[in-house]
Amino acid sequence: MTDIALIESAREFNRFYTNFLGLLNKAYLDTPFTLTDARVLFEIGVHDGVNAGALARDLQLDPAYLSRILKRFREEDLIEATPDPADQRSQILTVTDRGRAQFEEFGRRSNAQIAARFETLADGEPEAAVAAMRTIRAILDPQVRPAAAIIRSHRTGDIGWIVQSQGRFYAEEYGWDLRFEGLVADVAGKFLANFDPEMEHCWIAERGGINLGSVLITNGGDGIAKLRLLYVDKAARGLGLGKQLVEECIAFSRRKGYRQISLWTNDFLHTARAIYQKAGFRLVSEERHRMFGPEANGQTWVLDL
């Protein structure tokens, strides 16, 4: 049974969002139309002919209620209806020039309304809000297919995301303290400060504009590449992104002439260790430590190239 607190939170968000968009106002976007009017006209306008029955079904509107809206739209010269060649009992609806102008005006006013809201937010907050909206739709809308994940090179802001995401994840999952976040920040900072694009690289796994994973290759000297900070977000487990990121590291290191890849991990990171083993890495040393609070078993793995 769903937690009642979750249900109440969802209802609270619904109330906030309907107020945010002004959906309860009788005059939608300061026009003579209601929200339902605007949605019906929009759906007709964006399609090059839409079946009236399908429109009622897709918008989940009572056919009699929709019929009254369509009748008014015809009287106001916003739409025109012609018999459906596939079903003479139904009609194909299209917008007139006047109707197209009106639904395009809806778009302009809606864009202006949202832009005005976003302009009051701090840098990065509009993107975060839209990312959350995409997440909600991807989870709740069965017709939405999740975007394919991609692996790309890092860009501005990605290294900061690596520090934040890994610091938070290891604190929440394993109880590691701020010293681990400090280590990640140190590795990431040195990578940026001394970045050698000929011999070093950072890969980011991304889906729908959301960062989901990362890994670095740094130059350890003496022909040894260091694989650092492999991470895959919990939301992306099972997509094979960890394996892809490690494969990118191996291919890059071979192209650059490294003789070996070295990495340090901990034995409780079973998924990562399985990836390393399948890729041909071998365990060369391990030691107990309390570097980040709880006792752990650190391990060094290498891959001869």
Side-chain angles (χ1 to χ4, degrees):
M1 183 176 179
T2 304
D3 188 336
I4 189 64
L6 294 179
I7 296 172
E8 290 295 338
S9 294
R11 293 180 61 197
E12 181 181 3
F13 176 80
N14 287 342
R15 292 192 296 271
F16 156 75
Y17 201 59
T18 52
N19 288 336
F20 176 83
L21 294 179
L23 302 184
L24 301 181
N25 298 337
K26 185 175 181 180
Y28 178 63
L29 295 173
D30 295 322
T31 70
F33 298 89
T34 67
L35 172 64
T36 305
D37 291 340
R39 181 63 189 277
V40 170
L41 188 60
F42 177 84
E43 291 297 327
I44 298 173
V46 296
H47 295 92
D48 186 19
V50 59
N51 179 283
L55 184 63
R57 183 180 63 251
D58 293 345
L59 296 182
Q60 300 181 37
L61 292 176
D62 175 70
Y65 177 45
L66 176 61
S67 179
R68 291 193 294 272
I69 294 175
L70 298 178
K71 180 177 182 294
R72 178 161 47 85
F73 281 0
R74 287 194 295 270
E75 292 172 348
E76 296 174 1
D77 192 30
L78 297 174
I79 65 170
E80 55 187 9
T82 56
D84 186 346
D87 183 357
Q88 292 298 314
R89 296 169 300 177
S90 187
Q91 296 177 318
I92 296 296
L93 307 171
T94 55
V95 292
T96 62
D97 290 342
R98 182 177 180 182
R100 182 167 298 280
Q102 182 59 65
F103 104 79
E104 290 175 351
E105 178 63 18
F106 285 142
R108 285 190 291 270
R109 293 191 181 208
S110 182
N111 288 346
Q113 179 195 58
I114 294 173
R117 296 279 191 167
F118 280 176
E119 286 171 3
T120 66
L121 304 180
D123 288 346
E125 288 184 341
E127 291 80 3
V130 171
M133 294 174 189
R134 288 174 177 156
T135 299
I136 291 172
R137 186 176 179 194
I139 293 172
L140 298 182
D141 188 345
Q143 295 183 346
V144 173
R145 299 182 63 183
I150 62 170
I151 307 294
R152 61 168 176 80
S153 300
H154 77 284
R155 52 183 179 238
T156 301
D158 286 331
I159 302 302
W161 172 82
I162 290 174
V163 176
Q164 178 193 41
S165 59
Q166 295 203 31
R168 182 177 61 244
F169 171 77
Y170 282 92
E172 293 175 351
E173 294 292 316
Y174 303 110
W176 282 7
D177 59 31
L178 290 174
R179 287 176 292 179
F180 177 71
E181 187 172 348
L183 173 67
V184 177
D186 182 61
V187 171
K190 288 178 179 177
F191 176 81
L192 284 179
N194 306 303
F195 180 49
D196 177 6
E198 290 300 315
M199 298 298 291
E200 299 178 320
H201 204 85
C202 171
W203 293 266
I204 299 293
E206 175 190 292
R207 181 176 62 186
I210 307 294
N211 288 357
L212 296 174
S214 58
V215 73
L216 310 177
I217 281 289
T218 63
N219 189 348
D222 194 28
I224 297 176
K226 287 192 173 184
L227 188 156
R228 313 296 300 270
L229 305 181
L230 176 66
Y231 170 75
V232 176
D233 190 83
K234 289 186 290 185
R237 301 290 161 82
L239 299 180
L241 295 181
K243 178 175 179 289
Q244 293 180 53
L245 289 167
V246 170
E247 288 174 346
E248 291 284 355
C249 291
I250 295 172
F252 175 85
S253 299
R254 283 185 172 139
R255 288 197 307 271
K256 298 304 179 179
Y258 286 108
R259 64 180 178 85
Q260 190 179 78
I261 301 176
S262 174
L263 65 88
W264 184 81
T265 187
N266 285 268
D267 63 358
F268 57 78
L269 299 174
H270 304 296
T271 301
R273 289 174 59 246
I275 292 172
Y276 301 143
Q277 288 177 307
K278 289 180 180 178
F281 284 81
R282 55 189 171 85
L283 177 65
V284 294
S285 66
E286 54 187 330
E287 71 288 333
R288 303 297 294 178
H289 70 86
R290 290 185 176 273
M291 295 170 59
F292 315 116
E295 186 176 9
N297 190 51
Q299 297 181 329
T300 298
W301 294 70
V302 299
L303 174 67
D304 297 315
L305 298 174

PDB file of all heavy atoms in Angstrom, residues 10 19 41 46 51 60 85 130 221:
ATOM      1  N   ALA A  10       2.130  14.343  -3.387  1.00  0.00           N
ATOM      2  CA  ALA A  10       1.760  14.461  -4.794  1.00  0.00           C
ATOM      3  C   ALA A  10       0.592  15.425  -4.969  1.00  0.00           C
ATOM      4  O   ALA A  10       0.575  16.259  -5.892  1.00  0.00           O
ATOM      5  CB  ALA A  10       1.404  13.081  -5.363  1.00  0.00           C
ATOM      6  N   ASN A  19      -1.744  26.277  -9.622  1.00  0.00           N
ATOM      7  CA  ASN A  19      -1.677  27.709  -9.317  1.00  0.00           C
ATOM      8  C   ASN A  19      -0.535  28.375 -10.074  1.00  0.00           C
ATOM      9  O   ASN A  19      -0.665  29.501 -10.562  1.00  0.00           O
ATOM     10  CB  ASN A  19      -1.487  27.928  -7.811  1.00  0.00           C
ATOM     11  CG  ASN A  19      -2.730  27.604  -7.020  1.00  0.00           C
ATOM     12  OD1 ASN A  19      -3.839  27.639  -7.560  1.00  0.00           O
ATOM     13  ND2 ASN A  19      -2.568  27.283  -5.749  1.00  0.00           N
ATOM     14  N   LEU A  41      -8.178  23.579 -28.919  1.00  0.00           N
ATOM     15  CA  LEU A  41      -7.737  24.311 -30.102  1.00  0.00           C
ATOM     16  C   LEU A  41      -6.282  23.994 -30.425  1.00  0.00           C
ATOM     17  O   LEU A  41      -5.903  23.864 -31.599  1.00  0.00           O
ATOM     18  CB  LEU A  41      -7.915  25.810 -29.887  1.00  0.00           C
ATOM     19  CG  LEU A  41      -7.670  26.690 -31.117  1.00  0.00           C
ATOM     20  CD1 LEU A  41      -8.631  26.322 -32.243  1.00  0.00           C
ATOM     21  CD2 LEU A  41      -7.804  28.168 -30.759  1.00  0.00           C
ATOM     22  N   VAL A  46      -2.139  21.698 -33.987  1.00  0.00           N
ATOM     23  CA  VAL A  46      -0.841  21.068 -34.225  1.00  0.00           C
ATOM     24  C   VAL A  46      -0.953  19.848 -35.133  1.00  0.00           C
ATOM     25  O   VAL A  46       0.064  19.310 -35.565  1.00  0.00           O
ATOM     26  CB  VAL A  46      -0.148  20.658 -32.901  1.00  0.00           C
ATOM     27  CG1 VAL A  46       0.167  21.881 -32.068  1.00  0.00           C
ATOM     28  CG2 VAL A  46      -0.979  19.659 -32.123  1.00  0.00           C
ATOM     29  N   ASN A  51      -9.332  13.538 -36.086  1.00  0.00           N
ATOM     30  CA  ASN A  51     -10.656  12.936 -35.956  1.00  0.00           C
ATOM     31  C   ASN A  51     -11.293  13.371 -34.646  1.00  0.00           C
ATOM     32  O   ASN A  51     -10.660  13.328 -33.587  1.00  0.00           O
ATOM     33  CB  ASN A  51     -10.528  11.413 -36.007  1.00  0.00           C
ATOM     34  CG  ASN A  51     -11.846  10.704 -35.862  1.00  0.00           C
ATOM     35  OD1 ASN A  51     -12.374  10.595 -34.756  1.00  0.00           O
ATOM     36  ND2 ASN A  51     -12.374  10.208 -36.970  1.00  0.00           N
ATOM     37  N   GLN A  60      -9.532  12.713 -23.102  1.00  0.00           N
ATOM     38  CA  GLN A  60     -10.391  12.160 -22.046  1.00  0.00           C
ATOM     39  C   GLN A  60     -11.525  13.132 -21.692  1.00  0.00           C
ATOM     40  O   GLN A  60     -11.807  13.396 -20.527  1.00  0.00           O
ATOM     41  CB  GLN A  60      -9.558  11.817 -20.807  1.00  0.00           C
ATOM     42  CG  GLN A  60      -8.464  10.796 -21.084  1.00  0.00           C
ATOM     43  CD  GLN A  60      -7.658  10.436 -19.850  1.00  0.00           C
ATOM     44  OE1 GLN A  60      -8.192  10.344 -18.751  1.00  0.00           O
ATOM     45  NE2 GLN A  60      -6.362  10.236 -20.029  1.00  0.00           N
ATOM     46  N   PRO A  85     -13.368  10.552 -44.363  1.00  0.00           N
ATOM     47  CA  PRO A  85     -13.521   9.554 -45.432  1.00  0.00           C
ATOM     48  C   PRO A  85     -13.539   8.122 -44.901  1.00  0.00           C
ATOM     49  O   PRO A  85     -14.148   7.249 -45.513  1.00  0.00           O
ATOM     50  CB  PRO A  85     -12.284   9.792 -46.313  1.00  0.00           C
ATOM     51  CG  PRO A  85     -11.854  11.196 -46.008  1.00  0.00           C
ATOM     52  CD  PRO A  85     -12.198  11.421 -44.568  1.00  0.00           C
ATOM     53  N   VAL A 130      13.218  21.750 -15.199  1.00  0.00           N
ATOM     54  CA  VAL A 130      12.787  21.022 -16.400  1.00  0.00           C
ATOM     55  C   VAL A 130      13.243  19.573 -16.338  1.00  0.00           C
ATOM     56  O   VAL A 130      12.517  18.657 -16.752  1.00  0.00           O
ATOM     57  CB  VAL A 130      13.316  21.722 -17.664  1.00  0.00           C
ATOM     58  CG1 VAL A 130      13.065  20.860 -18.899  1.00  0.00           C
ATOM     59  CG2 VAL A 130      12.643  23.084 -17.832  1.00  0.00           C
ATOM     60  N   GLY A 221      52.228   8.455 -15.022  1.00  0.00           N
ATOM     61  CA  GLY A 221      53.657   8.391 -15.269  1.00  0.00           C
ATOM     62  C   GLY A 221      54.150   6.978 -15.516  1.00  0.00           C
ATOM     63  O   GLY A 221      53.481   5.990 -15.186  1.00  0.00           O
TER      64      GLY A 221
END
